[in-house]
């Protein structure tokens, strides 16, 4: 099985993690940020999306609109429903919850190469997902007939925005492994989520993407 095909199967249940990000959030929504903020519409959020990194091409989007109406959100939620997850509440922890944020302005884009993919979502919201709880450090799922084991650990990354957190999930199926690294950053009522998928995600690469994403986030919320 090619790595791209494996990653698609291995993560189609958790790749909901964003709209492509999904499921249930941890249930821990932060109180509104005390920082002054201006209303941000979907078009402005689109200006905060990253450009295609070198060697990658557009796989999806960019798309803007209400978070729950985006094609990526709908596909992610549909994939989650089809997956059989041992701990259903763990499938989207640490990420944004479409059920809660369906009407919020949002923008999404995804880039891919033969080695992996990068997906970014930006949503206008005061909610901020909490860290991945210990009970979700390991769980299993059956995705498109493949049995997958997911293991998640927190990543120590430089702080970004007003608050941020990062983690990496390793998916193992039939002796093959792939990783999805996630970073969520909040500024002035806007949250951006980054997902990087590959056989082995480099922390340095995720940190550079987070730096660039935070710079754009700062500009559109200024």
């Amino acid at each position: 099985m090619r790595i791209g095909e494996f990653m698609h199967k291995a993560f189609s249940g958790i790749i909901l993690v964003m709209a492509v990000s999904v499921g249930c959030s941890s249930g821990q929504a932060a109180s509104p940020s005390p920082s002054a903020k201006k209303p941000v519409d979907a078009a402005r959020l689109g200006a905060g999306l990253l450009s295609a990194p070198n060697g990658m091409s557009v796989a999806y989007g960019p798309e803007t609109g209400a978070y729950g109406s985006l094609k990526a959100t709908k596909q992610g939620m549909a994939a989650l429903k089809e997956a059989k997850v041992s701990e259903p509440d763990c499938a989207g922890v640490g990420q944004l919850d479409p059920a809660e944020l369906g009407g919020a302005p949002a923008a999404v884009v995804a880039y891919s190469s033969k080695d992996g993919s990068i997906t970014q979502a930006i949503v206008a919201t005061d909610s901020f997902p909490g860290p991945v709880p210990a009970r979700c450090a390991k769980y299993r799922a059956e995705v498109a007939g493949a049995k997958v084991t997911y293991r998640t650990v927190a990543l120590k990354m430089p702080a970004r925005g007003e608050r941020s957190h990062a983690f990496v999930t390793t998916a193992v199926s039939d002796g093959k492994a792939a990783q999805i690294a996630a970073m969520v950053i909040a500024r002035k009522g806007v949250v951006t989520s980054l997902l990087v998928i590959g056989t082995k995600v480099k922390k340095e690469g995720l940190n550079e993407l987070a730096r660039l994403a935070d710079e754009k986030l700062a500009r559109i919320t200024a």
Side-chain angles (χ1 to χ4, degrees), residues 80-172:
L80 183 62
K81 289 179 181 178
E82 294 177 5
K84 298 176 181 178
V85 185
S86 63
E87 297 289 341
D89 289 348
C90 292
V93 291
Q95 290 287 327
L96 304 171
D97 184 358
E100 174 191 355
L101 304 173
V108 180
V109 71
Y111 302 109
S112 66
S113 70
K114 62 182 180 62
D115 297 318
S117 67
I118 296 170
T119 305
Q120 181 186 17
I122 306 179
V123 182
T125 177
D126 282 318
S127 293
F128 188 78
V132 177
R135 65 181 177 80
C136 294
K138 179 180 178 180
Y139 64 95
R140 296 176 177 82
E142 184 174 327
V143 183
K147 296 184 183 300
V148 187
T149 298
Y150 300 100
R151 291 182 174 85
T152 299
V153 296
L155 285 177
K156 291 185 178 180
M157 299 280 286
R160 302 289 180 188
E162 295 169 352
R163 57 174 68 91
S164 62
H165 74 74
F167 58 90
V168 62
T169 297
T170 299
V172 180

Side-chain angles (χ1 to χ4, degrees), residues 4 20 22 26 36 39 49 75 98 116 121 124 132 136-137 148 151 159 169 199 218 221:
V20 122
V22 43
S26 64
L49 294 171
Q75 289 181 336
V132 177
C136 294
V148 187
R151 291 182 174 85
T169 297
T199 50
T221 57

Side-chain angles (χ1 to χ4, degrees), residues 8 37 66 73 156 159 196 207:
H8 173 74
K37 59 179 183 293
T73 307
K156 291 185 178 180
V196 181
N207 184 44

